[in-house]
Amino acid sequence: MTTTAVSQDVLVAHFAGKLAFETDPSDVRADQQTGTTFVLVDSRGDQAWAQGRITGAVHLPTAQIAARAQTEIPLDVPVVVYCWGPGCNGSTRAALEFAKLGYQVREMIGGYEYWVREGYPAEDDRGALASAIDPLTAPRGALSCDC
């Protein structure tokens, strides 16, 4: 592996930029619990939404963001988008659509998959979905990984 020296300023800018544009399930859940104002948007299609979604999320598929966002979500409210999980870049495409419209938007890395794996509230059309915390995503008996 070849390494190239990178200045501290470049490194700081890179990682600060990632944190400005990305969030994760643990931080989104903490923001929900503290009453932070934002809209959580599920950017997946109808079939995925029906299968399960984050409790409190708004369903706005990526293909419909340009047409619907400005009538449904105030421009001055921050937006967090998610899609299926780390193997899907749908949330990146959704975040791009919101950014084009002038929204302050962040992408929830890990998506719906990691939300559920961390044991946070999810639902489908019948009501709440129960899920056990996956010990590979969060420490047993703890609310967060304290990272």
Side-chain angles (χ1 to χ4, degrees), residues 20-91:
F21 303 120
E22 296 176 353
T23 188
D24 64 25
S26 178
D27 289 339
V28 170
R29 182 64 182 146
D31 284 346
Q32 285 180 329
Q33 292 179 307
T34 60
T36 301
T37 300
F38 68 99
V39 174
L40 182 60
V41 173
D42 184 319
S43 66
R44 301 171 303 150
D46 293 339
Q47 193 171 9
W49 172 263
Q51 182 175 322
R53 66 257 184 188
I54 295 173
T55 301
V58 171
H59 187 218
L60 189 51
T62 300
Q64 298 174 21
I65 292 171
R68 292 179 42 203
Q70 291 180 314
T71 60
E72 297 180 27
I73 301 171
L75 191 59
D76 62 345
V77 175
V79 172
V80 173
V81 296
Y82 71 90
C83 199
W84 273 111
C88 174
N89 68 1
S91 60

